[in-house]
Amino acid sequence: RMKDLERKARWQIRIPAEIAKTREERITYMTEEASEYVEPFLKDKEPDDLVFPSLKDNKKPISKSGYTKHIYNAVKRAGLDEKYEHSGQLRVTSHGFRSFFITELGKAEGFFGHYLAGHSWANKEYDRYNDKDILRVFMDYENRLKIFDRGNPDYENVIKQMKQKIRETE
C-alpha cells in the first residue's frame, strides 16, 4: 500500500509483519532505475491504495499467481523467454530477480542482500543495521542492481526500442 512507501534519497518500502514471510517487519529500497518505471503507478494514490492492485478487482492486491503470470507474460512479450536446458525453467522469473538482488548485494556487503530480503537466518544478532546504515549501504552498492548498462554505447537505441515496444503493447 502507498502508506508503506516513503520517498527519501530512495523509495523506502516497509514490508509489514503480517505479509512478510518471516512475520517480522523490515524495510528495503527501490533503485533509482526502478523508480523511473514505478513512479507513474504511484501518482494520485491515497495512503490506503494498493500500489499494484489486481486487474480484476482494484480493491484486492495482486495475488502471487497473478504476479507470476504478469512476469511470465512480460518476459514472453519482451522475447526473454529463454529456458535452462537442464530444467526447462525460464531464465527470467520473479524468483530470479530476488536471487539477483541477494547475490549482487552479497558480493558487495556479505549478508546484506539476505538481510534486506528478510531471510530469518541472516544474522541479525551480529549484523545490526539501523535505517541510516541500510540506506547508505544500499546506495553504495545499488549500481550492482542495474538492469540496463548505461555505459553501453548502444544504450540509447535499446531504450528507444523498448519504449516503442511498450507503446505498441499499451
Side-chain angles (χ1 to χ4, degrees):
R1 298 193 182 275
M2 280 303 298
K3 66 185 174 191
D4 297 317
L5 300 179
E6 184 179 348
R7 182 67 159 152
K8 295 186 173 191
R10 297 292 180 272
W11 278 102
Q12 177 180 292
I13 305 163
R14 183 182 72 86
I15 312 294
E18 60 270 13
I19 65 167
K21 189 170 161 181
T22 61
R23 298 291 178 231
E24 287 182 41
E25 182 178 301
R26 69 178 191 280
I27 62 167
T28 192
Y29 291 90
M30 187 184 316
T31 65
E32 279 298 290
E33 182 182 54
S35 297
E36 183 180 331
Y37 297 95
V38 173
E39 283 176 348
F41 291 97
L42 306 180
K43 289 185 174 155
D44 304 322
K45 291 201 181 251
E46 298 295 324
D48 281 331
D49 287 349
L50 295 163
V51 175
F52 298 109
S54 165
L55 294 177
K56 292 179 183 174
D57 183 348
N58 206 29
K59 299 293 180 198
K60 290 185 178 178
I62 191 168
S63 67
K64 184 177 179 183
S65 63
Y67 168 74
T68 303
K69 186 188 238 181
H70 286 302
I71 295 288
Y72 175 77
N73 289 336
V75 164
K76 282 191 71 140
R77 282 194 312 267
L80 300 173
D81 53 348
E82 183 181 338
K83 294 183 178 183
Y84 290 107
E85 283 184 36
H86 68 281
S87 67
Q89 296 289 320
L90 286 172
R91 287 180 169 270
V92 179
T93 64
S94 57
H95 188 266
F97 294 143
R98 182 175 167 84
S99 177
F100 172 77
F101 176 86
I102 292 167
T103 301
E104 290 305 309
L105 286 180
K107 287 177 190 174
E109 186 77 17
F111 289 104
F112 189 70
H114 293 284
Y115 187 88
L116 282 182
H119 285 157
S120 58
W121 58 266
N123 198 337
K124 293 175 182 138
E125 185 174 333
Y126 297 109
D127 292 331
R128 295 181 184 161
Y129 295 100
N130 63 37
D131 288 358
K132 276 185 175 176
D133 291 336
I134 294 170
L135 178 57
R136 179 190 51 77
V137 173
F138 180 84
M139 288 175 63
D140 284 349
Y141 297 109
E142 118 181 84
N143 66 336
R144 292 176 166 270
L145 302 174
K146 287 185 177 176
I147 303 300
F148 301 115
D149 182 2
R150 294 177 194 264
N152 179 339
D154 201 34
Y155 173 77
E156 293 301 323
N157 281 335
V158 171
I159 295 302
K160 282 180 189 174
Q161 290 171 358
M162 292 180 84
K163 286 183 177 179
Q164 180 60 35
K165 280 185 179 181
I166 290 169
R167 283 191 294 277
E168 289 169 6
T169 302
E170 287 174 338

